Amino acid sequence: MDAALGLPVLVGLIAVALLFDFLNGLHDAANSIATIVSTRVLRPQFAVIWAAFFNFIAFMVFGLHVAQTIGTGIIDPSIVDAQVIFAALVGAIVWNIVTWALGIPSSSSHALIGGLVGGGMAKAGISAAVWSGLTKAVLAIVLSPLVGFLLAMLLVAIVSWASVRSTPFAVDRAFRILQFASASLYSLGHGGNDAQKTMGIIAVLLYSQGHLGGEFSVPFWVVLSCQAAMALGTLMGGWRIVRTMGLRITKLTPMQGFCAETGGAATLFMATFLGVPVSTTHTITGAIVGVGAARRVSAVRWNVASSIVYAWVITIPAAAVVAALSWWAVQIFK
């Protein structure tokens, strides 16, 4: 471990981690408002404030299980030093910027996991990985969108059956109100899972420098800083991703938006309580595809959905490669 790390370097690395959290908010938090914006239930400027609030308070509901997993369950904490953390953050940030510029809703979570794996393995080889935690994260790539897809499709079937005697106008009006609740739940689930990933990075950095008294934990100031950085990123926009998620995959009604958000929120709640760092992007995309497919298969623009899937598959290895190259670059120039 890099025990002699100076305070300016430590502060600089924490700032880079918070920059990643800000970009995560810019890139991923848009997912939590895409449906409520695309159904025109809430204007974008109000939706981002709504999402930022529920993102911020999520740690009060879920605890910090995901932060624990990121900090100790992806790579061995004993090999973590400033260079590994720097490489991990560079890998994640570069991949986030590339996919944001292209309007592709890839996973910031898996970019960060890929960055950790790339930086850790560049330093210590295959033995750096904590395979039990890494396996859970990789399985979540498949399971989180699948569970979101199935839950959303099931909810559409239940709601359609329950509303069969109601007029379309009455259904639309009711679900415009209910979508406030479903969007809140999804934003809460998003904040509970996504904001904790940067907390885990900062906490393991502090742990590696001996600032946590020999026992891994997440200081409260780290919690507040990460929640604030993500909320600020949410407030700054990310509308490229909103357009892809809310408009290009399938056309949504308020009822479908409610089902997508509720199915996605249920998936995130389960994962967060289990401490599994799933991708909120994957989850809501699966749910949106589910509500579209429940109407009819042709309602989903499968070419758009498939391009998103390709981005999912390459995110971890792409971020890992960038992180490994960054680690080697630091060795050359230090």
Side-chain angles (χ1 to χ4, degrees):
M1 294 187 291
D2 190 3
L5 188 64
L7 181 61
V9 178
L10 181 62
V11 171
L13 279 172
I14 291 172
V16 174
L18 292 175
L19 172 63
F20 168 78
D21 206 27
F22 171 84
L23 291 172
N24 193 346
L26 188 75
H27 190 283
D28 277 13
N31 302 338
S32 65
I33 62 171
T35 50
I36 200 168
V37 170
S38 65
T39 56
R40 295 177 175 79
V41 170
L42 205 59
R43 291 183 179 181
Q45 59 266 39
F46 297 124
V48 293
I49 296 171
W50 187 270
F53 172 75
F54 286 99
N55 278 338
F56 186 80
I57 67 170
F59 73 94
M60 302 177 186
V61 177
F62 294 106
L64 299 172
H65 306 300
V66 174
Q68 184 81 25
T69 297
I70 290 291
T72 62
I74 303 299
I75 59 172
D76 186 348
S78 67
I79 64 100
V80 171
D81 60 15
Q83 291 144 19
V84 170
I85 294 297
F86 175 77
L89 291 170
V90 169
I93 288 171
V94 167
W95 186 247
N96 263 3
I97 291 173
V98 168
T99 53
W100 175 82
L102 296 174
I104 300 171
S106 68
S107 169
S108 294
S109 307
H110 292 122
L112 185 59
I113 290 168
L116 277 172
V117 170
M121 288 188 177
K123 178 184 178 182
I126 299 294
S127 62
V130 178
W131 291 105
S132 57
L134 189 56
T135 301
K136 281 197 303 184
V138 171
L139 283 175
I141 294 177
V142 177
L143 293 179
S144 62
L146 180 60
V147 172
F149 176 92
L150 294 174
L151 286 177
M153 185 176 279
L154 178 63
L155 282 167
V156 170
I158 293 170
V159 167
S160 298
W161 176 80
S163 307
V164 70
R165 297 183 182 277
S166 302
T167 65
F169 176 78
V171 171
D172 187 78
R173 183 176 59 183
F175 282 99
R176 281 182 176 276
I177 297 170
L178 287 172
Q179 226 188 324
F180 282 99
S182 62
S184 302
L185 290 172
Y186 188 84
S187 293
L188 197 65
H190 176 272
N193 203 281
D194 255 22
Q196 291 189 40
K197 284 131 189 177
T198 307
M199 296 178 203
I201 287 288
I202 295 175
V204 76
L205 175 62
L206 294 172
Y207 174 77
S208 75
Q209 302 306 307
H211 292 296
L212 297 181
E215 183 176 344
F216 182 87
S217 60
V218 183
F220 190 60
W221 69 264
V222 173
V223 174
L224 292 181
S225 299
C226 291
Q227 299 283 11
M230 174 165 280
L232 183 60
T234 305
L235 291 172
M236 292 295 289
W239 307 121
R240 289 172 180 264
I241 311 297
V242 170
R243 186 170 62 249
T244 298
M245 299 296 295
L247 300 175
R248 291 181 59 202
I249 295 175
T250 189
K251 186 177 179 181
L252 296 174
T253 65
M255 183 270 279
Q256 291 167 329
F258 169 84
C259 292
E261 289 161 349
T262 304
T267 306
L268 293 180
F269 275 46
M270 288 187 288
T272 304
F273 280 123
L274 293 172
V276 180
V278 300
S279 167
T280 55
T281 310
H282 295 191
T283 303
I284 194 62
T285 302
I288 290 173
V289 171
V291 298
R295 185 166 73 241
R296 65 181 189 278
V297 174
S298 62
V300 178
R301 296 185 177 93
W302 293 103
N303 60 325
V304 176
S306 63
S307 69
I308 293 170
V309 171
Y310 297 147
W312 294 349
V313 171
I314 65 173
T315 288
I316 287 181
V321 168
V322 175
L325 292 173
S326 300
W327 189 86
W328 284 110
V330 170
Q331 306 316 302
I332 293 171
F333 291 109
K334 74 175 183 178

